[in-house]
Amino acid sequence: MKQTSSQTVKLLNEERALLMSLAAKRDASYSDILRLGLYQLAKLDGLEALLLQAVQARLEHVCEVEAVWQGVRVNEPAAAHHLTDGSRQTAVQTGGS
């Protein structure tokens, strides 16, 4: 599993309210909203290579988490990706999600 870190973000009450509103409107977590802002700023500042690395790491992390939820231990990100593709195909075939 990828290493993650937790940071305390100090926001004004008005900023927190804005973050909560955006998260609710998009049915997303606070972290997701902050992450999207981070990605947008990276794109605007021309940090495409770092942005691609970050997005790839996020995709690998999501695949690893999905594999753990399914009770499969995955050491290779590529294997997790194949598992994800298969589980999606099965869900489509069975009408699940």
Side-chain angles (χ1 to χ4, degrees):
M1 186 89 42
K2 286 215 169 283
Q3 291 287 337
T4 60
S5 65
S6 178
Q7 300 292 322
T8 300
V9 178
K10 296 185 183 198
L11 299 172
L12 297 172
N13 288 337
E14 295 83 359
E15 292 167 331
R16 185 175 164 275
L18 177 59
L19 179 59
M20 289 174 57
S21 294
L22 285 168
K25 183 175 182 174
R26 296 178 179 266
D27 193 26
S29 70
Y30 297 164
S31 295
D32 291 337
I33 298 300
L34 294 173
R35 190 175 297 110
L36 285 171
L38 174 67
Y39 293 169
Q40 287 178 339
L41 284 172
K43 176 68 175 162
L44 288 173
D45 285 349
L47 301 173
E48 284 86 4
L50 289 172
L51 174 59
L52 289 174
Q53 281 181 320
V55 170
Q56 181 62 40
R58 175 58 53 186
L59 286 170
E60 290 172 6
H61 176 73
V62 169
C63 289
E64 290 172 4
V65 169
E66 183 180 30
V68 169
W69 285 344
Q70 293 179 8
V72 177
R73 184 168 179 93
V74 177
N75 293 327
E76 293 291 321
H81 179 70
H82 292 298
L83 175 64
T84 303
D85 289 346
S87 64
R88 283 192 190 129
Q89 186 175 3
T90 302
V92 169
Q93 291 171 349
T94 60
S97 54

